[in-house]
Amino acid sequence: MNTKAHEDPDHSGSLRPPGVFLAFVREARPWLNAFLFSRGVNAVDIDDIAQDCMERLVRYRGCEADELFLLLNRIARNRMVDIRRSPRAQMECNRMQLNENIEDDRSIADPLRQAIARQELRILIKSLLTLSMCSREVYLLNRVVGMSYVQIARHRGVTPKTVEKQMSRALRDLRKALDAVAM
């Protein structure tokens, strides 16, 4: 490989001096840090995530600066999605407090609908609290967070079949609890 230039990743034969990419990285780093901070990433993780984004951008180093910015933007957004799907983020689901003090939903104008919705939500929360910790965690990870059985299994260190059984128990127990309230 030539030290003065490198090939474009699309193999079009155009050569770019490596200084163009390095200059872009230096200019884009403050923007990337601000972007990550605005998305709620804590200060400790910003540098790690920014470094990861820049590493992913290296494969596109032969592109123009405008294209690099668009690519960096897309890479950073994808990393944010990955982070929110990570096991660390999923653990926040375990810490979730099921608050029985339901706030009014001002977006629904009808007071009767508001009262019915609050009452149904209280019933659901009470029913969720009757589940075992394992069943409740599996149910919330699947139905609220949106994780698949395979992802939950990986997160909890069990087999997908175990997750399926726990979900089945959770649904059965919720059905019983909700039926008991309805009668």
Side-chain angles (χ1 to χ4, degrees), residues 3 6 28 36 46 54-55 57 69 98 109 116 119 126 134 140 152 156 160 168 171 178-179 183:
T3 58
H6 59 275
L36 294 170
I46 285 178
M54 292 300 182
E55 286 176 4
L57 189 68
F69 179 78
L98 297 174
I116 291 170
Q119 188 176 24
K126 284 180 183 178
C134 292
L140 292 173
I152 296 170
R156 300 196 70 231
S168 188
L171 291 172
L178 292 173
D179 286 346
M183 292 183 179

Side-chain angles (χ1 to χ4, degrees), residues 107-149:
S107 64
I108 303 174
D110 184 13
L112 179 61
R113 289 176 78 188
Q114 286 181 356
I116 291 170
R118 279 194 306 271
Q119 188 176 24
E120 289 173 347
L121 194 52
R122 282 190 188 107
I123 291 168
L124 178 62
I125 289 171
K126 284 180 183 178
S127 300
L128 282 170
L129 290 172
T130 65
L131 297 176
S132 71
M133 188 63 176
C134 292
S135 294
R136 182 171 49 236
E137 180 184 14
V138 167
Y139 179 83
L140 292 173
L141 287 173
N142 180 258
R143 298 299 169 101
V144 176
V145 178
M147 292 174 71
S148 70
Y149 288 179

Side-chain angles (χ1 to χ4, degrees), residues 3-6 16-27 61 63 65 68:
T3 58
K4 293 183 181 177
H6 59 275
R16 305 252 187 275
V20 173
F21 179 75
L22 294 175
F24 172 81
V25 168
R26 278 189 217 102
E27 291 174 18
R61 64 184 172 261
C63 296
L68 287 172

Side-chain angles (χ1 to χ4, degrees), residues 8 12 24 38 55 72-73 77 92 97 111 120 142 161 172:
D8 198 334
S12 63
F24 172 81
S38 73
E55 286 176 4
L72 181 60
N73 190 340
R77 288 178 186 278
E92 295 301 319
Q97 296 291 323
E120 289 173 347
N142 180 258
K161 190 68 174 173
R172 182 194 64 215

Side-chain angles (χ1 to χ4, degrees), residues 7-182:
E7 287 189 32
D8 198 334
D10 65 3
H11 304 292
S12 63
S14 65
L15 298 176
R16 305 252 187 275
V20 173
F21 179 75
L22 294 175
F24 172 81
V25 168
R26 278 189 217 102
E27 291 174 18
R29 187 65 183 255
W31 172 86
L32 181 58
N33 289 350
F35 172 81
L36 294 170
F37 183 77
S38 73
R39 296 296 192 265
V41 177
N42 64 41
V44 175
D45 293 336
I46 285 178
D47 285 333
D48 291 338
I49 296 167
Q51 182 66 32
D52 183 53
C53 290
M54 292 300 182
E55 286 176 4
R56 291 170 187 237
L57 189 68
V58 168
R59 76 178 75 149
Y60 304 105
R61 64 184 172 261
C63 296
E64 297 293 331
D66 294 340
E67 294 172 326
L68 287 172
F69 179 78
L70 295 173
L71 289 164
L72 181 60
N73 190 340
R74 176 54 44 209
I75 290 168
R77 288 178 186 278
N78 288 343
R79 285 298 293 132
M80 294 305 300
V81 170
D82 292 344
I83 288 165
R84 289 201 171 83
R85 289 181 182 163
S86 73
R88 191 170 101 189
Q90 304 308 329
M91 290 180 64
E92 295 301 319
C93 179
N94 297 341
R95 296 185 193 116
M96 189 167 53
Q97 296 291 323
L98 297 174
N99 187 357
E100 291 191 15
N101 299 326
I102 308 301
E103 296 179 17
D104 289 336
D105 185 358
R106 307 272 186 231
S107 64
I108 303 174
D110 184 13
L112 179 61
R113 289 176 78 188
Q114 286 181 356
I116 291 170
R118 279 194 306 271
Q119 188 176 24
E120 289 173 347
L121 194 52
R122 282 190 188 107
I123 291 168
L124 178 62
I125 289 171
K126 284 180 183 178
S127 300
L128 282 170
L129 290 172
T130 65
L131 297 176
S132 71
M133 188 63 176
C134 292
S135 294
R136 182 171 49 236
E137 180 184 14
V138 167
Y139 179 83
L140 292 173
L141 287 173
N142 180 258
R143 298 299 169 101
V144 176
V145 178
M147 292 174 71
S148 70
Y149 288 179
V150 173
Q151 290 171 322
I152 296 170
R154 219 176 290 129
H155 170 69
R156 300 196 70 231
V158 296
T159 66
K161 190 68 174 173
T162 302
V163 172
E164 187 178 336
K165 287 179 184 177
Q166 289 172 338
M167 186 64 166
S168 188
R169 275 190 214 118
L171 291 172
R172 182 194 64 215
D173 294 347
L174 274 177
R175 206 173 294 118
K176 283 181 188 175
L178 292 173
D179 286 346
V181 172

